[in-house]
Amino acid sequence: TVDAVESGLLELFRVERQGFRVLNTAAALAAAHDKLLTAHLLSRAGLPHPRTALFAPGQPFPDLPPPLVVKPRLGSWGVDVVRCDTPDDVARALPEILSRPWFLRRGAVVQSLVDAGGHDLRLLVANGAVIGAVRRLAAPGDWRTNITLGGTRLPIKAPEDAAALGVAAARAIGADLVGVDL
């Protein structure tokens, strides 16, 4: 959800503590789900990533110049993701963001926009290797490439540099099996 990490995460942690081997530990899943933590881990590993800041309740909006994206720390599928190309866009978006329950609980992630021209690359990384890749295309009139929002995907062979970056990103968050978006 955009409000909290999935409830099964605590159960997964308990299973790990009992000595069972699991794919994607609770820590890896938390790192993949929390966009702020993901950004921190990628940065710590020296991997390229959009400039990222936390916008917390009661705090001033981060000093990141537009174009930028404001989104929940948790969640996926493009839910409540807002693109702001100008300072006026930011001013118009803030009242809605400030009223969201997820914002009041966890704050928002603000990131410099990486304008990919309506497409991106999703890599499926398993056990340190890229085992699949798709080029995702935004739906007409949208900039987000989410399939759930009408985007499409085309299977491709991952370029070597992209595959290396995807493997390094999976390693940085400690994931055994993960989708990495470039």
Side-chain angles (χ1 to χ4, degrees):
T1 71
V2 293
D3 286 337
V5 174
E6 301 300 325
S7 59
L9 205 57
L10 182 57
E11 293 304 317
L12 179 60
F13 179 70
R14 287 183 183 137
V15 167
E16 290 174 43
R17 300 277 300 191
Q18 292 173 1
F20 290 94
R21 174 151 164 46
V22 298
L23 290 177
N24 289 343
T25 64
L29 289 174
H33 197 64
D34 183 335
K35 295 170 186 71
L36 187 64
L37 180 55
T38 300
H40 171 75
L41 293 171
L42 294 176
S43 177
R44 189 169 76 183
L47 298 175
H49 191 269
R51 204 167 146 209
T52 303
L54 173 64
F55 175 38
Q59 298 295 314
F61 193 79
D63 187 24
L64 284 178
L68 53 84
V69 178
V70 183
K71 53 189 162 184
R73 279 183 64 177
L74 310 174
S76 54
W77 303 297
V79 173
D80 285 346
V81 175
V82 180
R83 177 178 173 157
C84 299
D85 290 315
T86 68
D88 287 342
D89 291 342
V90 173
R92 280 191 293 277
L94 282 181
E96 181 67 24
I97 292 165
L98 293 171
S99 72
R100 294 291 195 190
W102 56 260
F103 175 77
L104 298 173
R105 288 180 56 123
R106 307 257 185 225
V109 169
V110 180
Q111 292 182 314
S112 297
L113 175 68
V114 175
D115 191 352
H119 66 93
D120 69 5
L121 178 63
R122 173 164 285 177
L123 306 172
L124 182 59
V125 180
N127 196 31
V130 173
I131 61 168
V134 293
R135 181 173 181 234
R136 299 187 309 170
L137 305 168
D142 202 344
W143 59 278
R144 297 166 295 176
T145 58
N146 304 75
I147 304 305
T148 58
L149 298 175
T152 57
R153 62 182 168 243
L154 303 168
I156 66 165
K157 181 176 180 349
E160 284 186 34
D161 57 342
L165 185 56
V167 168
R171 185 180 314 113
I173 68 166
D176 300 304
L177 177 63
V178 66
V180 177
D181 297 340
L182 303 177

